[in-house]
């Protein structure tokens, strides 16, 4: 079977939590749960770095405003991770070119990252911090669960990931006003932090 569904699903999950994708796939390969996991993802140094960064994200992702800053930095990291994992999976199976897999994984990761970052901006427009924690846990469990499902049932998992991605993009349309409110509030904060201009 083509590796295309797994590339798509791993790309979607990378846009949510790239370090969890690398860590989970690597652990699946090391333990023998996933037979087709590339050896690069199973290397001890890759697993250690992914594990440490996953823990960092687990903390940063639950703190209001810090999560949006973290998302801004990862606008580049997550799509690159999705492209890298996709290319590795394609190279392992030989059923899809590395370039095509990289483009699919990277573009899917970028789309799901946009959903994640936009949703966080909408949530940060409200003052209470609990929704950040609930949303972060749901994102991590969802991405990890769908990715684990993809190892055994790649086509079904790709359908689930596609539905979640489409639903997330649609939700952004309805959350646009809250996202705009967050951006305005952040702009006011930056303006307030600037020192007052000295009179000449």
């Amino acid at each position: 079977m083509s590796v295309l569904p797994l590339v798509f699903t791993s790309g979607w999950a990378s846009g949510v939590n790239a370090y969890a994708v690398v860590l989970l796939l690597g652990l699946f390969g090391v333990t023998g749960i996933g037979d087709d996991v590339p050896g690069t993802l199973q290397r001890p140094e890759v697993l250690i770095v992914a594990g440490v960064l996953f823990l960092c994200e687990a903390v940063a992702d639950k703190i209001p405003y810090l999560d949006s800053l973290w998302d801004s930095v990862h606008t580049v990291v997550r799509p690159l991770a999705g492209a890298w994992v996709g290319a590795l999976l394609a190279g392992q199976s030989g059923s899809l070119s590395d370039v095509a897999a990289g483009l699919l994984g990277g573009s899917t990761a970028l789309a799901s990252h946009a959903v994640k970052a936009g949703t966080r901006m909408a949530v940060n427009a409200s003052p209470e911090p609990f929704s950040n924690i609930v949303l972060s846990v749901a994102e991590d469990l969802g991405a990890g669960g769908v990715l684990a499902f993809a190892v055994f049932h790649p086509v079904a998992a790709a359908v689930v990931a596609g539905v979640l991605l489409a639903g997330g993009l649609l939700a952004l349309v309805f959350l646009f006003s809250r996202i705009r409110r967050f951006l305005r509030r952040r702009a006011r904060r930056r303006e307030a932090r600037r020192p007052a201009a000295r009179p000449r």
Side-chain angles (χ1 to χ4, degrees):
M1 182 179 292
S2 171
V3 76
L4 183 65
L6 183 57
V7 170
F8 177 83
T9 305
S10 64
W12 170 80
S14 294
V16 179
N17 192 325
Y19 307 122
V21 171
V22 175
L23 183 61
L24 275 176
L25 285 177
L27 290 176
F28 287 155
V30 169
T31 57
I33 296 175
D35 297 330
D36 297 326
V37 176
T40 302
L41 297 177
Q42 302 180 43
R43 295 173 61 176
E45 61 270 26
V46 173
L47 292 174
I48 291 171
V49 171
V52 170
L53 291 173
F54 171 75
L55 292 176
C56 292
E57 176 150 336
V59 174
D61 207 37
K62 295 173 179 60
I63 302 174
Y65 294 99
L66 179 59
D67 59 350
S68 289
L69 177 62
W70 185 270
D71 285 338
S72 297
V73 174
H74 285 74
T75 300
V76 175
V77 175
R78 288 169 183 157
L80 286 178
W84 178 61
V85 171
L88 286 176
L89 290 171
Q92 181 80 1
S93 71
S95 60
L96 183 69
S97 77
D98 296 2
V99 174
L103 288 173
L104 176 64
S107 59
T108 308
L110 180 61
S112 61
H113 165 75
V115 171
K116 176 185 173 77
T119 304
R120 286 312 180 86
M121 289 181 189
V123 168
N124 283 332
S126 61
E128 50 79 27
F130 303 107
S131 52
N132 295 74
I133 298 173
V134 172
L135 190 58
S136 176
V137 172
E139 288 169 348
D140 291 343
L141 291 177
V146 174
L147 183 65
F149 184 50
V151 172
F152 303 100
H153 305 284
V155 176
V159 172
V160 173
V163 170
L164 291 172
L165 180 59
L169 292 171
L170 183 62
L172 285 185
V173 177
F174 294 100
L175 293 172
F176 180 73
S177 61
R178 291 179 66 88
I179 295 171
R180 191 169 52 183
R181 190 187 318 159
F182 168 82
L183 293 173
R184 282 200 301 261
R185 187 179 297 174
R186 187 169 65 177
R188 284 197 298 267
R189 279 204 181 95
R190 287 177 179 172
E191 191 66 30
R193 281 198 294 263
R194 288 179 185 172
R198 294 180 181 178
R200 294 179 180 176

